[in-house]
Structures are given as C-alpha cells and as structure tokens.
Amino acid sequence: MKKIFSALSMANEQIIELETQLLKRKLRITESPCDIEALVDQRQLHTFCSNDYLGLANHPELIEALAEGARRYGVGSGSSHLISGHNIAHDLLEKKLATFQSEHIPQARALFFSTGYLANLAAITGLIKLAKPGEASIYSAKLNHASIIDGVRLASAQSKASVNLFDHQQLDTLIEALKKDTKPLKLIVIDGVFSMDGDIAPIKALVQIAEEYDALLLVDDAHGFGVLGEQGHGILEQFNIASERIIYVGTLGKAAGVSGAFICAQAPFIEWLIQKGRPYIYSTATPPAIAHALLKSLAIIESDEGKSRRHQLNQLITHWQNAMQFSAWEKVISCTPIQPVILGSNANALAVAKLLDEMGYWIPAIRPPTVPIGSARLRITFSANHSIEDLQALMSALQKIERQVQMESGS
Ligand SMILES: Cc1ncc(COP(=O)(O)O)c(C=O)c1O
C-alpha cells in the first residue's frame, strides 16, 4: 500500500479535529447574484447574511457600469500600480473617495486596494515603518477584524512594534498605557463598526485620546462606509469628526456593492504608503472596470436613491430593535444592519442555522475564531432590499425554532 506522506496525514488529522470540535466550515455554492433571495446548492433561500447593506450588488446601473468599464478598459490591469497597472479609472475613483472624507481629514488623499484585508495590512505595516524598528507602539481593540489582527502581527514581526490590546468599551486601560508610552510613534487601531457585534466604536473619545497622546488613529469603517452619515460617507460624517490624525479605511465590497477598499489620510501618509506599503506595491492592480463601476456606486451612495436606501435600512433596524423581545435569545444592542443573536455553543449555533435552512433561510452559524469561544451566533444582516414583511417573517421563523429547541431540550 502507498504510504501517506506526513504533511497529508497531518492535514487529514487536523480536519478531523476541526470536525470533532464542530469548527469545520463548509463552502456553499450560489448560482444567483448576491441579493435577498439566493439559489444556494440548488435551493432558493431568503438571505440575511451578506454585507450588501444597500442592496447594490445586483443593481442594474452597476452591472451596466461594470460592462461599460470592461468595454473601455478590458478585463485585466496587467500589473501592479507602480509598473503599468494604474489606470485613469483608478485615479478618478481615488479622487472621488478623497472628496467623501475631505471635510473630516485635511489634505485628504485616497489609495485604492483590491481588498480590505490588504488595505489593513498595508496601512498598519506601512505606517509603523515611519519609525525606526522598535520605536513604535500599536494599540488595537481586542475585537478588531482578523485583517487588523494580522496587520498588527506582521507589523510587530517586521518592525518590532510593541502591541497592546484594549477593550473598546473600557478606554481607561488604553489611556493608562498611552500615558506611560514614550515611543515616538503610536498607532491606535479600531473597527468603526464591529463586524460581529454591530456596535459602533466610541470614535469621538478615541479621536480626543489620539490628539492628547500624540497618536495616529486608524479607523476601519468597513461596515460604516455607505451606511453611516447623511450622505453615506461613513462614521466620520455620522459623528461630525475632523482630525489630521485619522487614517480612514473603507471597503467597497460591502455597502458599495462591488469589490475593493481604500485608505484615506493626509496626502503625505498616502505618499509614504505608495512608497513603502508592500501589499500595495507587490500586488496586481484591480481591473480598472471595477474602479469604473465603483464610481457609479459612489454616485448612487450620495444620491437621493442612496438616501432612501439608508432610510429603508434604518426602518428595518428600528423595527428589529422595537421587536427584539420576540425571542429570549441574547441579542447585542446594535444600531447598524448587523444584528447578532448569540447562541453560545457551536452545537447550538449549528443546530439553529440548520433549522433556519430547512425553513428557507440562509444565515450561517458564526463560530470561533471569528467570534470569542462560547459566543457562537447567528450574524443577521439587513439589506435595503428587505421589507418590514421580510423581517417579520424571519422573526416568526426564529420564534418557531426557539420553541422547538426549548421543547427538545426540555426547558
Ligand atoms: C471590519 C472589516 N475589515 C476589513 C475587512 C476585509 O475587507 P475585504 O472583505 O474587502 O477584504 C472586513 C471584511 O470582511 C471587515 O469586516
């Protein structure tokens, strides 16, 4: 019999281990556009799990803009931005993105990336290189997104930056640590909207802290861009914040409905990242057709249509908040389209997600390491394409499932 080489047997054993701990994840295949209904593994399901908050991912004008972009610029960029991949569509997009933050960041300039993951890696590792090795500190919120965690780890390994984790609802420890910090460069990093809980960071207090202790403040507004603020410009607009210390990261594959991300900051920081941000320098530029489609998306976000989509989203959020007692399951107080229902164990979360699936709903169980151990959950998300009736129907389904689970467990 042929002997299995050791790496392969390790892979097999580790996968079995994940299965045993109910932590194995499964890919599901959709055959339809991202919208509130999806054809998943050949079944039609109601979806409450995407980040397409404004319902733009399947918008006819965006589809047309992408097709027009492909006709104008082809389908590939051919190389990284600094070689030959930087197209007029990228440039126009960056200029427009900068105008979204220009009232909040002086001399705002934006830099486009193919994903938010890369934007966070580039921003954190790149900015830390402004200081000599060992002369920077990073302060990162414990519940920040994985891309921030990885950016912080990489910056710490590459530049010997010291790393401090803080609780974003308890800023005293952050302040105490900053008081003692004598390093020339300090970077505070925070999710604007926490991706798994939906709560919003105490951004005003953090800006004050950054000012007082001479730190930069990186805000990852992946889930706020397009959603927060009267014009959809994001968290800085919503809370009327202006500071030269802010490094703003926004993503474009969520509310903007397409793909990509950007960093917006004072022009010298962006120039530095073009020179030193390795994930920017050593990666092929996003196809310009995507940037062209994104220009259309930004126009919709700022338009009356964008406003009415945000209005609809806020109606859904208010409806959910007012009816939250519909079930006894633990919820997180959130005023964003991310509304988690905490189920605790992996087994509970998987069982409820399965029952939902049987009732025609697609809301996967979110388990560690995406969320802390013991807080497995349903991460319910709303889209402006949902109606109040859709929400009511989901609540009834959840009520039925809760009763069924209680009966089965005898409680
Ligand atoms: C808070 C946060 N930051 C960054 C990202 C990464 O963005 P992208 O999906 O564009 O890589 C995500 C998304 O998944 C996120 O939730």
Side-chain angles (χ1 to χ4, degrees):
M1 204 170 67
K2 194 168 166 247
K3 195 166 174 282
I4 296 184
F5 66 100
S6 57
L8 190 57
S9 60
M10 280 181 204
N12 285 329
E13 281 161 25
Q14 298 281 5
I15 290 164
I16 291 168
E17 180 63 21
L18 285 177
E19 247 161 3
T20 319
Q21 295 173 352
L22 302 179
L23 287 175
K24 187 167 171 229
R25 301 168 189 226
K26 187 169 166 258
L27 283 172
R28 297 189 70 180
I29 298 172
T30 66
E31 292 176 61
S32 52
C34 169
D35 215 322
I36 58 167
E37 302 289 326
L39 185 61
V40 192
D41 295 332
Q42 293 167 1
R43 286 171 58 232
Q44 193 73 23
L45 297 179
H46 309 293
T47 66
F48 278 90
C49 58
S50 90
N51 300 313
D52 178 27
Y53 305 119
L54 296 181
L56 297 182
N58 191 27
H59 193 294
E61 286 178 36
L62 288 186
I63 296 170
E64 182 43 38
L66 183 60
E68 195 209 40
R71 282 192 293 273
R72 258 196 225 185
Y73 306 118
V75 293
S77 69
S79 78
S80 64
H81 286 276
L82 286 169
I83 302 296
S84 64
H86 197 61
N87 181 276
I88 181 82
H90 298 126
D91 187 59
L92 291 172
L93 176 66
E94 288 174 344
K95 290 198 167 106
K96 185 68 197 169
L97 287 165
T99 68
F100 271 41
Q101 306 306 326
S102 59
E103 284 175 29
H104 313 288
I105 300 174
Q107 283 190 69
R109 184 176 170 192
L111 193 62
F112 179 48
F113 284 78
S114 53
T115 69
Y117 188 97
L118 281 187
N120 275 332
L121 283 197
I124 299 167
T125 58
L127 289 168
I128 288 304
K129 276 190 246 161
L130 286 166
K132 294 196 189 105
E135 294 203 345
S137 325
I138 306 175
Y139 295 85
S140 180
K142 286 181 189 159
L143 294 181
N144 276 343
H145 186 258
S147 56
I148 293 181
I149 296 174
D150 292 356
V152 169
R153 286 179 181 157
L154 196 54
S156 157
Q158 283 178 346
S159 304
K160 301 190 175 57
S162 63
V163 177
N164 305 266
L165 300 181
F166 66 94
D167 178 345
H168 70 273
Q169 286 165 338
Q170 247 305 339
L171 298 179
D172 298 0
T173 48
L174 170 67
I175 295 171
E176 286 312 310
L178 279 165
K179 272 186 193 161
K180 293 184 212 131
D181 192 333
T182 54
K183 300 249 173 74
L185 182 68
K186 304 170 198 82
L187 174 68
I188 305 170
V189 195
I190 190 88
D191 270 11
V193 173
F194 282 83
S195 56
M196 292 299 133
D197 285 340
D199 61 324
I200 301 180
I203 186 79
K204 281 205 158 181
L206 285 164
V207 171
Q208 272 173 8
I209 293 171
E211 304 272 353
E212 187 164 349
Y213 297 98
D214 189 23
L216 286 175
L217 176 64
L218 188 156
V219 184
D220 174 359
D221 202 23
H223 299 274
F225 184 79
V227 171
L228 298 178
E230 172 73 15
Q231 295 175 276
H233 293 177
I235 192 168
L236 304 181
E237 185 195 2
Q238 172 99 0
F239 293 98
N240 194 18
I241 284 166
S243 169
E244 55 184 7
R245 294 172 175 280
I246 292 177
I247 312 292
Y248 181 90
V249 175
T251 63
L252 301 166
K254 297 180 170 59
V258 187
S259 174
F262 63 99
I263 303 173
C264 185
Q266 286 208 67
F269 292 126
I270 297 297
E271 189 55 51
W272 174 252
L273 292 175
I274 294 171
Q275 307 307 318
K276 293 288 172 186
R278 291 170 68 88
Y280 181 77
I281 299 167
Y282 298 107
S283 188
T284 299
T286 305
I290 299 278
H292 188 73
L294 278 164
L295 280 164
K296 184 60 169 182
S297 166
L298 298 188
I300 295 176
I301 287 173
E302 281 193 317
S303 71
D304 286 347
E305 179 183 346
K307 283 191 187 120
S308 74
R309 285 178 178 270
R310 279 187 291 284
H311 178 71
Q312 173 63 10
L313 211 44
N314 286 327
Q315 303 271 82
L316 296 166
I317 296 165
T318 307
H319 187 82
W320 178 267
Q321 284 170 336
N322 291 339
M324 212 118 121
Q325 270 77 5
F326 76 91
S327 95
W329 279 327
E330 183 188 341
K331 325 268 186 329
V332 178
I333 305 292
S334 150
C335 54
T336 68
I338 304 169
Q339 297 289 342
V341 174
I342 313 290
L343 294 161
S345 70
N346 299 338
N348 284 350
L350 283 170
V352 173
K354 184 165 178 286
L355 290 168
L356 273 168
D357 180 276
E358 284 163 16
M359 292 177 81
Y361 286 94
W362 190 12
I363 309 176
I366 307 287
R367 290 160 286 161
T370 309
V371 293
I373 292 171
S375 73
R377 65 193 66 189
L378 300 175
R379 177 181 179 269
I380 296 172
T381 53
F382 305 149
S383 152
N385 288 344
H386 285 126
S387 64
I388 297 284
E389 291 70 35
D390 294 331
L391 210 55
Q392 291 279 147
L394 171 65
M395 286 177 174
S396 311
L398 285 166
Q399 261 171 350
K400 272 193 203 138
I401 293 172
E402 189 176 18
R403 260 183 260 126
Q404 186 178 337
V405 171
Q406 276 166 353
M407 264 162 32
E408 279 166 14
S409 68
S411 60

